[in-house]
Each structure stands twice: as structure tokens, then as C-alpha cells.
Amino acid sequence: LNFTIQNFRFSTANTPKPQVIITPLHVSHVQAAIKCSQKHGLQIRIRSGGHDFEGLSYVSDHVPFVIIDLIKLSEINVDAEEKTAWVQAGATLGQLYYRIAEGSKNLGFPAGSCHTVGVGGHFSGGGYGFMMRKFGLAADHVVDAHLVDAEGRLLDRKSMGEDLFWAIRGGGGASFGVVVAWKVRLVTVPSTVTLFTVIRTMKQNATKIVHEWQYIANKLHEGLFIDVVLIRANSTMVAAFTSLFLGGIDRLLPLMQESFPELGLKKEDCTEMSWIESAHTLAGFQKEEPLHFLLDRNSSSSKGFFKAKSDYVKQPIPESAFEGIYDRFAEEEGQSAVIALIPYGGKMNEISESEIPFPHRAGNIYKILYLVAWGEDGASQRYINWIRKLYGYTTPYVSNNPREAYLNYRDLDIGTNNHGYTSYKQASIWGKKYFKNNFDRLVHVKTTVDPHNFFRNEQSILPLPSRAPKKIGA
């Protein structure tokens, strides 16, 4: 059994282990596992790629549990003429991209750059990538789904109804059932795209350039996506600007000169390639490595002990505040930390906050991912404390009421459910951060489709108690 755990925080001797790991070969095996788990009072955890930042897709702290690992449900059928694909939930993004490119050189899909992420969790939490400003999220392109509900029924979009179909596209599928397959609408990509990564140090005015980036990142041409990664290297802070442009160098250079001359982009910084080659490069592969490496679900660099958090930024952060961030990176724990600034705008501004449960649309300049990694289990608390302090420091500069967060960067610090009865008020502490006003509709859907709260975890959507039993049993 391939059971790669991405976050080693959840693979220590003390991590609770499942009673059994089920790897269904057919949807009927999922249905049987649900029925059997209910009969024996077991919780289930649903795992597609194993990238859940807090391990909720493969660990349950307080009760006996079963893992339904969808790794074998990974079939992909691309219809290049219809520009759609059916993707089973255990397939990875790399596998999806490779199969799309096999079917057509001018079709792509707007999802993440980490090729080992399973589509099940990625799509159901929103799912973004380097084409987000042009096309929106992965979840914005889901047109049908197959889901097994708490009664063991296999439903499609028509039989599950529009409310439940709305909820699983960004509201987290694991609160509502086991999504076993997704139908997605593909997007048309140009024959040539351009990538660049430009690195600037403090001596090269990195802080000033990052500060300027904030004013244009969400206003650039929608085919141009530039993110920023801040790390500490050789006792100084370094900013890496990585970009995907949906077009050639000849169009990109004048756009950059007009919109972001501060970066000083040169022709030699840029590389033209096909869209599938860009997916391969952004996944971290070298040019000489074959494209079929995208199919390998084990070749991930993101394994290790880590803790992550997220934020949304509506107003540019002052230069002086970046200096304060750098001071924290100078501490020992900061040597292995990273901050990524992910630009919004473009298509993201055009989609309503309530179109799907993912609410972070117009008004956001960028999202922040904070991540710190370390080498051994004994150091965990020290590094977790460090990132919490950094998160505390940035409080004045990010969204508030609620302080928004991204579901796929799961963070149990922002609030959790009790193990018995949890009130709506308590659940909305974390629920409003992920979903804003969409949380109430998610609760309504949950109350309708899973009133006894069979599908649950530390941050699952809760049914209203008027319809559910007061004490939630098995």
C-alpha cells in the first residue's frame, strides 16, 4: 500500500492510527465502507492526495476511525472536443495535466502547481494556481460530480440537487459525503506561454520592489500572474518573483515595462514553452526530466514537519511592516520559513462571493501563505510558536471581521469543533474565516443532507441541532 504522508507532524509514534485503511477499487466499496463504519460506530477520514495541512484527511484524534484512501480511484477521461474531463477523486493534479495534454496541446486546467496534490481535496476546497487571474479557481470549473452520501447513495449533480452541488465546490467535500469523481470544464491555453523567476536581494531593493508589487499585482493583465516568495538565504532576505504569462516574450516584455518596470525584467530572464511544460517546470522538475514525471504521485518535495497559516490582504502593507517580518525571519526558526504572496484580481474580481462557498473574491490584492518547516519531532512546538507569533505580528495589516483564511491551507489554530456537541456560535468562529457569509448556507445544506453528522472532523460543517440529536453519537 502506498501511504505517503506529506506532513510528518502526523506520522509520529503518538499519532492515532486507523483501525483499517480501505482502498476502494470501485464506488461500491466506498458505499460498503460507509455502511460498515456506521454499523460499528467508526468515523471515516477521506484521503485523496494526503496534503491536508493538519492531517484531517488521515488522522482522527479522539475516536476509532477508518481511512478511505481513494488512491486507486484515479481514472481520467478527457473529451478534447467537448473540452471536459471526468476525473476520479484519487487522481493527482499532475496526472490530470498530463492526460489533458495527451488529448490536446491547447487545453489546460486552472489548478495548483504541486503535482502530487489529489484532486478530491483540491477541488472541494477551491483550488488555485498560476492561471487563477485569467480563469478563476479549479472549483469554478466543476460542472458535475459523483458523491456517495451518508445513506450510501451514489448521487450526481441532478440527483444531489443544486444546494449540495454548490456546497462541495469550495465548502470542503468531506463534510457532506465522499466525492468519488468530478467533471470539469477545461480551458483554452495558447500554444506558447512564458515563465520567469527573478530573484532580488535586500541590496537590490527587494523590499521596495515587493512594496511596489502590492500596488499592481491585482491590476495586471489577467493573463499575467506574478507571485512573490520571501525567504532568508545567506543571512539576508530574498524575494523571488515567479510568473506565468499566457503568451510569448514579445508581448510580455512591453507589458512588464509598462506595469512593473521596478522589477527590471530582461528577455534573458524569460523562457517560452508549452502549457504542459510550464506545469512540469512549476512542479519543480528540470527541463531534462521527462514530462511523464508529472504522473508520479510520490515525487513531492513538500514532505516534512511543517505548520502553515494564511491571510488575505486588502490594503498594501507598509514597507516598515516588511522590515518587522524580516526581523522575525532572522530568528533561528525563521531560517526554514517562507512567506508566499499570491496575487488576486482579474477573473477573481468578476465572480460573486456567493457563486460557490469560496468567498475571497473582489477587494483582495493578494493572499499570504506562511509556512515554517523543521527536521525533527522534538522541535515542533518551538516552530509552531514562532509562526503563531509571526501571524500575530501581521494582524494589523490583513483582513479583519473576520480575519479571512483559505480552507485548503487548513489551520486548526483559527477554531475547532468539540468532540461532542458544538454550537453554531462556536463553529462559526472558524467557519466565517473560511467562508464568510457562505457559512450559513453550508450549515443549511449540512443539516439537510447529513443531519446526524456522520461525516465530521475538527473543522467540518455542522448540522443545526434542531434537526440533529443533542449528543452526537457514532
Side-chain angles (χ1 to χ4, degrees):
L1 169 69
N2 162 1
F3 189 59
T4 315
I5 288 186
Q6 307 291 342
N7 192 344
F8 291 170
R9 276 203 291 143
F10 308 106
S11 60
T12 67
N14 300 325
T15 303
K17 303 298 186 284
Q19 308 288 312
V20 65
I21 299 171
I22 297 158
T23 51
L25 302 171
H26 186 269
V27 172
S28 63
H29 300 161
V30 176
Q31 294 169 301
I34 288 172
K35 289 289 187 197
C36 191
S37 299
Q38 288 170 335
K39 187 177 173 184
H40 295 284
L42 298 167
Q43 264 195 27
I44 64 169
R45 289 291 186 263
I46 308 147
R47 184 178 187 275
S48 57
H51 282 256
D52 191 306
F53 280 10
E54 296 279 22
L56 301 192
S57 66
Y58 49 85
V59 177
S60 179
D61 257 355
H62 296 271
V63 286
F65 70 104
V66 168
I67 293 173
I68 298 180
D69 191 331
L70 300 172
I71 188 168
K72 306 279 196 206
L73 293 180
S74 58
E75 207 174 292
I76 298 167
N77 291 302
V78 175
D79 185 331
E81 277 191 30
E82 197 194 34
K83 296 186 182 175
T84 59
W86 269 106
V87 196
Q88 285 191 309
T92 62
L93 296 180
Q95 291 165 353
L96 174 60
Y97 297 158
Y98 189 86
R99 299 298 173 213
I100 291 170
E102 268 185 335
S104 164
K105 299 295 170 242
N106 285 104
L107 290 176
F109 191 71
S113 54
C114 181
H115 69 292
T116 59
V117 166
V119 303
H122 190 69
F123 293 3
S124 71
Y128 79 92
F130 277 75
M131 297 200 293
M132 165 174 83
R133 301 190 64 254
K134 173 71 174 175
F135 297 112
L137 306 174
D140 293 326
H141 293 264
V142 170
V143 292
D144 203 344
H146 291 161
L147 171 139
V148 181
D149 72 0
E151 292 178 37
R153 296 175 300 193
L154 178 63
L155 308 173
D156 62 5
R157 177 175 183 170
K158 192 172 177 204
S159 53
M160 76 175 77
E162 287 304 301
D163 274 357
L164 180 51
F165 182 63
W166 173 85
I168 59 174
R169 290 175 295 152
S175 291
F176 304 98
V178 182
V179 181
V180 290
W182 304 87
K183 185 182 185 183
V184 293
R185 185 177 61 245
L186 307 179
V187 300
T188 303
V189 292
S191 305
T192 301
V193 304
T194 305
L195 283 187
F196 71 74
T197 296
V198 171
I199 293 169
R200 294 288 181 255
T201 63
M202 293 292 107
K203 284 182 179 160
Q204 296 166 313
N205 277 335
T207 309
K208 196 159 194 54
I209 301 169
V210 172
H211 188 250
E212 286 301 320
W213 171 90
Q214 297 182 100
Y215 289 88
I216 54 95
N218 64 328
K219 300 185 180 83
L220 291 168
H221 182 286
E222 62 177 18
L224 176 55
F225 178 101
I226 308 173
D227 73 10
V228 185
V229 171
L230 300 171
I231 55 167
R232 193 163 176 84
N234 303 325
S235 71
T236 184
M237 286 302 290
V238 169
F241 297 82
T242 301
S243 174
L244 171 68
F245 174 61
L246 299 172
I249 294 174
D250 290 348
R251 279 187 62 218
L252 172 61
L253 287 172
L255 267 178
M256 287 294 291
Q257 191 47 47
E258 179 193 333
S259 311
F260 194 23
E262 294 82 0
L263 189 60
L265 184 72
K266 299 186 180 71
K267 189 168 186 173
E268 52 269 30
D269 298 322
C270 306
T271 311
E272 290 185 341
M273 58 187 77
S274 66
W275 174 77
I276 191 62
E277 287 167 338
S278 78
H280 176 263
T281 304
L282 291 167
F285 293 114
Q286 302 302 312
K287 196 171 183 180
E288 58 277 8
E289 295 179 289
L291 285 174
H292 68 70
F293 277 23
L294 283 167
L295 298 172
D296 181 0
R297 64 191 305 140
N298 291 324
S299 58
S300 170
S301 59
S302 63
K303 297 185 188 81
F305 295 91
F306 69 88
K307 171 68 183 171
K309 301 178 83 64
S310 62
D311 261 323
Y312 283 86
V313 178
K314 321 265 187 194
Q315 303 289 332
I317 294 175
E319 266 187 73
S320 57
F322 281 105
E323 302 293 347
I325 289 171
Y326 302 161
D327 290 344
R328 280 152 179 80
F329 271 69
E331 296 165 14
E332 186 194 338
E333 296 83 1
Q335 310 294 319
S336 57
V338 60
I339 286 184
L341 314 178
I342 297 128
Y344 271 51
K347 184 73 174 174
M348 293 298 285
N349 283 355
E350 296 164 24
I351 299 171
S352 148
E353 284 195 2
S354 57
E355 180 72 20
I356 63 172
F358 177 98
H360 316 290
R361 302 288 188 172
N364 291 296
I365 307 176
Y366 59 97
K367 170 172 62 192
I368 305 179
L369 164 66
Y370 313 86
L371 190 143
V372 65
W374 58 95
E376 78 290 345
D377 186 35
S380 293
Q381 202 52 55
R382 198 156 51 86
Y383 285 87
I384 290 170
N385 289 343
W386 179 87
I387 199 171
R388 285 173 178 162
K389 276 189 351 205
L390 173 65
Y391 185 77
Y393 170 79
T394 57
T395 305
Y397 310 110
V398 297
S399 63
N400 56 48
N401 294 326
R403 182 171 185 174
E404 296 171 37
Y406 174 41
L407 179 66
N408 277 357
Y409 289 159
R410 173 95 64 192
D411 179 9
L412 293 182
D413 291 351
I414 68 170
T416 60
N417 299 329
N418 293 338
H419 301 291
Y421 172 69
T422 303
S423 69
Y424 166 83
K425 189 177 175 188
Q426 185 186 339
S428 48
I429 293 170
W430 60 263
K432 300 274 186 182
K433 290 170 187 168
Y434 289 140
F435 306 116
K436 295 173 71 175
N437 292 333
N438 295 331
F439 180 65
D440 290 347
R441 185 174 172 193
L442 287 168
V443 169
H444 169 76
V445 175
K446 174 72 171 181
T447 307
T448 306
V449 303
D450 185 18
H452 299 290
N453 203 23
F454 173 65
F455 293 105
R456 68 187 188 273
N457 59 46
E458 288 81 343
Q459 281 185 346
S460 57
I461 305 292
L462 291 159
L464 289 170
S466 57
R467 297 275 291 277
K470 267 292 180 215
K471 271 288 178 196
I472 295 162

